[in-house]
Structures are given as C-alpha cells and as structure tokens.
Amino acid sequence: MNSIFSSYTFDQYAVRKATTDDAKEVFQILRNAASWLNEKNINQWEHLNNDVEINEIVEDIVENITYIVENKNTEIVAVFNFSPNQNPWDIEMWGKREDKAFYLHRFAVHQEHHHKQIGKRTLEWMINSYQVNNSYIRLDCIGNNPVLNKFYQRAGFQFMGHVGEAGDQFSLYEKAF
C-alpha cells in the first residue's frame, strides 16, 4: 500500500504527517479540546491535563500516525491520528481484530478555528480520498456526547454499539470501503 489517501489537499487546506517539531502545538490543540469538552461537562481526554501525555503524542508522531491539517497560512487548524494497527485501547474497545482497518483517534480542531466546518470538511476529505479497498475506518467516541455521535452518523459511519459501563460508555463507529 503506497498511500492511504488519493489526495492530501481539500478546499484551502493541506494535510501532512506531523513531525516532532509539531508536538507541542499538537498537544496544546488536544489539551485545549479537552478543556473545552470539560467545560461542557463531557469527560473526554481529561488525561491530557497531565504533561506526561506529551510523550505519548511524540511517540505517535514518530510512528507516523499523527496528521495535521494546515490552512493556506500554514497554521495548524486540526489534528488526528490514523493508524492501520490496533493499539491497546482499540483492542479493549473492539476486541482483537484481524481484518484490514484504520483507526481514527484524537481528531480535534484548533479552538481558534471552531465554527468554520473544518472538522466536517476534514472528515469528508478523509472519506472521499481514502483508497484502501476492502477495509474499514473505525473510531470510538464518548457515548454521552450527542453532538459528536450525530457528527459521525451524519458522515456515514455506522453505529456498532456501546462499550463500557453506564456513565462511562464509548460509542463505536465504522465505515466500510
């Protein structure tokens, strides 16, 4: 497999793999997203309030699974992880899977770029340019965030069920290609 995506641009945005030079900004975008969610009483990514988590962010960048979306001014407007391998979290959520799939994680839009449809447009780009046949894109999100759950459903992801205990449930979604 040469390239996961057929194109790395959409609208006025470019998508590229993050480098270690991007690590602090990627971490800050994710941390700000966690704080914003917490203000809305959605407990997701609260572990990002710990500076130790930057090491995990750097590991993902070094593994080439972290992507950034830049605008025409090369400002980072969104970040996401996209991996062909299940990490321990994926195995906990989905069980050990042997089929071909990419797992989407840590998809966040920079706070200064909210309300510009960047998340929606990035997800549309991802779906339209994804070129791995006979595979899936899978993701999980916090179950008690109805806006986020509807976001993935509207994008054509199929709800596959919940995992976890009441009050700490995660919604599972996948899209077949």
Side-chain angles (χ1 to χ4, degrees):
M1 176 178 7
N2 292 338
S3 181
I4 301 166
F5 302 107
S6 61
S7 168
Y8 286 83
T9 60
F10 65 96
D11 301 335
Q12 297 179 16
Y13 300 97
V15 180
R16 68 172 174 84
K17 289 191 176 181
T19 68
T20 52
D21 290 341
D22 300 314
K24 285 185 180 178
E25 192 167 358
V26 169
F27 181 69
Q28 196 59 51
I29 290 168
L30 293 168
R31 179 181 262 179
N32 288 346
S35 295
W36 181 79
L37 288 165
N38 190 39
E39 288 170 11
K40 297 185 173 299
N41 293 319
I42 298 169
N43 295 323
Q44 186 171 350
W45 296 346
E46 60 273 357
H47 61 280
L48 289 169
N49 291 322
N50 180 346
D51 285 333
V52 174
E53 288 298 317
I54 196 165
N55 295 330
E56 190 175 313
I57 305 295
V58 171
E59 286 173 20
D60 290 344
I61 290 171
V62 170
E63 288 179 24
N64 284 318
I65 63 170
T66 302
Y67 292 78
I68 62 172
V69 179
E70 295 176 319
N71 64 16
K72 62 185 176 185
N73 299 323
T74 67
E75 298 169 310
I76 298 175
V77 298
V79 299
F80 64 92
N81 280 7
F82 203 69
S83 174
N85 303 312
Q86 284 187 295
N87 63 28
W89 178 260
D90 296 321
I91 294 169
E92 185 177 334
M93 295 289 107
W94 293 92
K96 182 72 175 149
R97 305 293 290 260
E98 300 298 330
D99 54 357
K100 194 176 354 174
F102 278 77
Y103 293 83
L104 175 62
H105 290 286
R106 294 190 185 132
F107 184 24
V109 173
H110 192 295
Q111 255 183 318
E112 291 178 11
H113 297 278
H114 282 191
H115 308 294
K116 297 179 183 178
Q117 302 295 308
I118 292 170
K120 177 184 177 195
R121 289 159 48 197
T122 300
L123 197 58
E124 287 172 350
W125 159 82
M126 191 181 301
I127 291 166
N128 293 331
S129 65
Y130 182 75
Q131 60 180 11
V132 182
N133 294 327
N134 302 312
S135 68
Y136 299 90
I137 295 178
R138 291 194 178 113
L139 62 95
D140 64 84
C141 66
I142 198 79
N144 69 348
N145 184 339
V147 172
L148 188 58
N149 280 265
K150 283 183 182 171
F151 173 74
Y152 290 119
Q153 290 168 9
R154 285 189 190 125
F157 283 82
Q158 183 177 350
F159 175 69
M160 302 303 291
H162 286 111
V163 175
E165 305 294 320
D168 194 25
Q169 286 189 326
F170 293 88
S171 300
L172 303 179
Y173 290 96
E174 73 178 15
K175 186 165 181 63
F177 291 85

